[in-house]
Amino acid sequence: INISVFPPSNACIGRYILNMQITSCGHTYQRCLGDFYVLFNPWCADDPVYMDNQAHREEYVLNEHGILYEGVHKHITSRPWHFGQFEDGILDICLKILDMGASYHHGSDRDHCWRNDPVHVSMVVNHMISSHTTNSIMKIPENNDYLKGTKPFSWNGSVPILQQWYNGRCRPVRYGYCGSLASVMCTVMRCLGIPSRVVTNFCFPCSIENPLGINEIFDCTGKNLCGKDKLWRYHCWNESWMARRDLNQCCGDWQCLDPTPLETGRGSACSGPTWVRSIREGELDLDYDGHHVFSRVNSNYVGWLSQNNAKKTKFFCDTWPCGQHLITKSVGSEQFEDITGTYKYELGSVKNKEAYYRAYRRIHPGYCNASNCHIERELSSLKNPFLSDSGINMRLKMANCPMYGEDVQLHWLLENLRSENKNLKFNLCAQIITYSGCPMDQFWKDSVNVTLGPREVKKIPLCISYSQYGPYLCDHNIMKVVAVSDPECGELLMVSRDIVVNRPPVIVKLLSQPRLKVPCTAEISFCNPLQEDMKNCVMTLEGCGLFKEPMTIDLGTLASNQQARTIVEFTPYRLGSHRLLANLGCHKF
């Protein structure tokens, strides 16, 4: 007997058992024919996750390989990620996640009716990633302390994380960061049939007191002080494609889902789903957490000087709006796609201002009847004065793209805009900054007296040696260089630059052509670029369809400029496009 099952488009997703009842000679008995799974179907026009573009379906549902974008907005770095949604056992793990999170909205899972709604399914998955009190999939380390778990940046893919959670009786995996959380959620959503992608937002504000303002405070040496507000250098979240029947949408569109618990003033919480188009239009009353998402792509940055008497004064500095660059992996390409325009209109345009005023009135109820001019005056009073208003222009420009072990070279450009001499004294410093905006060690300081003639332009070279920053960089490969004028000079001037130090590459070379169920070899090589030993070197290899579980190779200690070569053998166990990932960890990073 051949049996075809055609579930309706509003069927609840999950695992079903198919029984056959047989009546013969007055006797009735049942026979189990097997089980089957029902998932959301983006190929079906009646399904709420329907996506009409085949290339997009292949990218956002079928593709197991992704790219995470990190760094800072002026220096974007990338690294590959294995989603692995088709690996053995992953579908059962994803359904287990729904079982564990079923009580999030409904108190009981006796009726599974919510499982046919991608909105409620996405909310449950979003909550389960890191917000569930006891059974969340992954934890974020507190105070950057991850000694009792795995380094957050050492993961290459979602499969080991999900397997560790499932095999560990659904206890949280330690530890992750926003990129791994968003990627794991992307894996779960794609596995359930919901088109999804990981988005990176550069200059991401996390402010408790002022939703549309982010404050960074510095002392007179240029040191970034740890305040309540945090300016994340980047932040990753998830976008999923679905028609929002709760918003009367008849067609699918991208919805923002952020599984990273962030402080909101009323405790930490994940956010979404939020219709991306409602953010661009400033229509914050339509959706879940709209005001949170809007503020995270539209807040204004303000830089302050804190002096000994605790008085704070605004700098003259050229600031930027937060959320100025949002990107994701392009369809069918290894390049990134700039999707900033889906979240906000072009800065300064009429539509951008109208959306901002509309959102401002919803975030600040006291301004619900205020005119646009009133709101604009209020916003202008909160911003930093421009550097040009002081008669000086400054910027820090990179002279090289430093690799771990190399000196950092910068050019400090100054221009006198006035027809009179300028005599200024500046304090300079460099400081480690985590990706989440936490200031760490200040490892370099200097003072410079600068004299600028009328309309003079001057270029001053700056160098920070590896011996100065190397002992402090660790896993955090971002540093901040700041120049502030001495308060005794009068006007307070500030210029800063975030710098990414690239990690040395690991080179993977295939030595034979991969064939299904035929052993294949690859050469993994790495050279220690430092003028010192690299201790506790461990290589982790991973690849969907290539390794059933990650392979770990202990390389021990690598001397300065020593080349390490390792030959590994693996047997591809399923067809498809595969990628071999190699990640090196040591006492330095």
Side-chain angles (χ1 to χ4, degrees):
I1 302 175
N2 291 325
I3 299 176
S4 297
V5 180
F6 296 94
S9 59
N10 63 348
C12 294
I13 66 168
R15 175 175 171 263
Y16 288 75
I17 297 175
L18 182 62
N19 291 317
M20 180 171 63
Q21 182 174 293
I22 301 172
T23 301
S24 176
C25 300
H27 297 283
T28 300
Y29 60 94
Q30 288 190 346
R31 181 173 181 178
C32 179
L33 299 181
D35 56 7
F36 62 93
Y37 295 86
V38 173
L39 306 176
F40 292 108
N41 186 359
W43 280 262
C44 174
D46 295 328
D47 199 291
V49 302
Y50 173 64
M51 181 175 267
D52 63 359
N53 188 306
Q54 175 61 18
H56 287 196
R57 289 193 294 254
E58 290 178 358
E59 179 67 48
Y60 300 131
V61 181
L62 301 179
N63 193 359
E64 294 186 83
H65 307 300
I67 296 177
L68 299 186
Y69 297 101
E70 301 169 344
V72 298
H73 71 282
K74 290 186 177 181
H75 184 166
I76 297 173
T77 62
S78 64
R79 65 189 188 96
W81 187 271
H82 277 146
F83 293 120
Q85 64 267 33
F86 300 122
E87 286 292 293
D88 291 342
I90 294 300
L91 177 55
D92 289 321
I93 295 176
C94 293
L95 295 178
K96 180 67 173 180
I97 292 170
L98 297 186
D99 293 338
M100 298 297 294
S103 61
Y104 175 52
H105 286 293
H106 302 272
S108 170
D109 197 30
R110 290 174 185 170
D111 62 347
H112 294 69
C113 61
W114 62 273
R115 296 198 184 207
N116 66 357
D117 184 355
V119 175
H120 287 292
V121 169
S122 65
M123 293 176 80
V124 169
V125 174
N126 200 27
H127 175 72
M128 281 296 298
I129 295 296
S130 193
S131 295
H132 194 284
T133 52
T134 55
N135 298 114
S136 62
I137 296 171
M138 208 167 202
K139 276 192 173 294
I140 295 176
E142 296 181 5
N143 302 319
N144 298 300
D145 180 10
Y146 42 80
L147 294 178
K148 295 181 180 179
T150 303
K151 290 183 178 181
F153 296 96
S154 65
W155 301 101
N156 291 325
S158 305
V159 174
I161 297 171
L162 290 169
Q163 289 175 338
Q164 185 174 327
W165 174 80
Y166 186 76
N167 296 330
R169 297 182 179 180
C170 304
R171 289 190 294 267
V173 176
R174 302 171 186 263
Y175 289 105
Y177 75 112
C178 64
S180 53
L181 267 58
S183 299
V184 169
M185 181 168 187
C186 187
T187 295
V188 175
M189 299 295 273
R190 288 186 184 185
C191 185
L192 297 176
I194 303 176
S196 297
R197 63 188 184 183
V198 177
V199 172
T200 301
N201 173 17
F202 293 93
C203 297
F204 175 86
C206 191
S207 175
I208 299 174
E209 297 178 349
N210 182 5
L212 290 173
I214 183 77
N215 299 295
E216 276 199 322
I217 304 171
F218 301 84
D219 66 12
C220 60
T221 69
K223 181 180 180 180
N224 191 340
L225 305 178
C226 187
K228 294 181 180 179
D229 294 353
K230 297 288 186 295
L231 181 64
W232 293 37
R233 270 45 193 176
Y234 65 90
H235 180 61
C236 301
W237 62 63
N238 195 79
E239 279 186 0
S240 294
W241 180 273
M242 64 190 75
R244 296 287 300 277
R245 304 291 162 82
D246 57 323
L247 300 180
N248 297 318
Q249 294 178 7
C250 58
C251 299
D253 207 343
W254 289 113
Q255 317 292 327
C256 172
L257 291 144
D258 189 351
T260 303
L262 296 171
E263 184 59 49
T264 63
R266 292 178 294 177
S268 297
C270 57
S271 60
T274 309
W275 186 21
V276 171
R277 191 175 300 178
S278 72
I279 301 304
R280 186 176 65 174
E281 302 297 336
E283 297 286 357
L284 308 187
D285 293 339
L286 289 177
D287 218 343
Y288 303 99
D289 305 311
H291 61 293
H292 291 312
V293 181
F294 183 89
S295 66
R296 288 162 186 168
V297 297
N298 286 284
S299 289
N300 291 302
Y301 172 91
V302 186
W304 299 86
L305 173 68
S306 177
Q307 295 174 281
N308 293 332
N309 57 4
K311 177 185 175 183
K312 292 193 300 183
T313 310
K314 289 180 187 174
F315 284 110
F316 283 87
C317 61
D318 294 336
T319 60
W320 58 89
C322 299
Q324 58 182 306
H325 205 183
L326 292 100
I327 61 175
T328 188
K329 180 184 177 297
S330 295
V331 174
S333 168
E334 299 291 299
Q335 304 301 314
F336 67 74
E337 175 187 358
D338 190 332
I339 59 170
T340 310
T342 64
Y343 281 84
K344 54 202 295 187
Y345 289 105
E346 184 179 355
L347 187 64
S349 67
V350 173
K351 288 187 175 181
N352 174 258
K353 290 182 178 181
E354 289 175 348
Y356 196 95
Y357 297 147
R358 194 178 299 122
Y360 195 90
R361 293 185 178 96
R362 286 163 171 77
I363 292 174
H364 298 286
Y367 289 82
C368 61
N369 296 317
S371 66
N372 292 347
C373 293
H374 186 185
I375 295 174
E376 190 62 45
R377 284 195 300 271
E378 180 68 18
L379 292 173
S380 298
S381 68
L382 299 175
K383 295 179 180 178
N384 288 92
F386 293 109
L387 272 171
S388 56
D389 296 337
S390 70
I392 294 286
N393 265 342
M394 295 190 298
R395 64 190 180 105
L396 291 168
K397 184 178 180 181
M398 296 302 301
N400 69 337
C401 187
M403 186 80 69
Y404 214 108
E406 297 177 348
D407 296 345
V408 176
Q409 308 281 351
L410 301 99
H411 289 145
W412 181 18
L413 305 177
L414 301 98
E415 180 183 7
N416 185 359
L417 303 177
R418 303 280 170 81
S419 300
E420 56 193 35
N421 290 333
K422 290 275 189 179
N423 296 306
L424 299 167
K425 179 182 178 182
F426 286 92
N427 297 319
L428 294 91
C429 81
Q431 188 175 8
I432 302 300
I433 299 288
T434 69
Y435 83 98
S436 56
C438 294
M440 306 290 279
D441 298 301
Q442 183 187 43
F443 59 86
W444 176 77
K445 291 193 295 185
D446 199 0
S447 295
V448 178
N449 291 307
V450 178
T451 299
L452 292 171
R455 308 288 179 181
E456 183 182 2
V457 177
K458 186 170 286 187
K459 180 165 68 173
I460 300 175
L462 301 175
C463 178
I464 303 172
S465 67
Y466 170 74
S467 61
Q468 291 173 310
Y469 74 78
Y472 303 94
L473 200 58
C474 300
D475 291 327
H476 316 293
N477 61 334
I478 302 174
M479 69 174 74
K480 187 179 187 71
V481 177
V482 180
V484 298
S485 61
D486 193 296
E488 296 180 358
C489 294
E491 295 168 334
L492 297 175
L493 313 178
M494 191 263 283
V495 66
S496 65
R497 175 89 186 211
D498 289 339
I499 299 171
V500 176
V501 180
N502 295 316
R503 294 184 178 180
V506 177
I507 299 172
V508 179
K509 181 181 179 181
L510 288 176
L511 302 180
S512 57
Q513 185 67 29
R515 296 174 59 191
L516 182 65
K517 298 182 180 179
V518 176
C520 179
T521 55
E523 180 186 78
I524 317 295
S525 59
F526 173 81
C527 182
N528 176 10
L530 309 182
Q531 299 302 313
E532 58 182 300
D533 292 348
M534 290 176 61
K535 302 174 184 176
N536 305 322
C537 296
V538 177
M539 187 82 71
T540 303
L541 306 177
E542 188 176 335
C544 291
L546 304 178
F547 298 95
K548 288 286 187 180
E549 57 185 35
M551 177 186 294
T552 300
I553 302 172
D554 188 354
L555 300 178
T557 299
L558 294 179
S560 175
N561 296 316
Q562 180 182 346
Q563 184 90 15
R565 286 189 176 89
T566 302
I567 304 297
V568 296
E569 184 176 284
F570 55 90
T571 303
Y573 55 87
R574 63 181 173 88
L575 293 171
S577 174
H578 305 305
R579 180 182 291 162
L580 176 59
L581 300 185
N583 185 48
L584 180 78
C586 68
H587 78 293
K588 282 291 184 181
F589 48 79

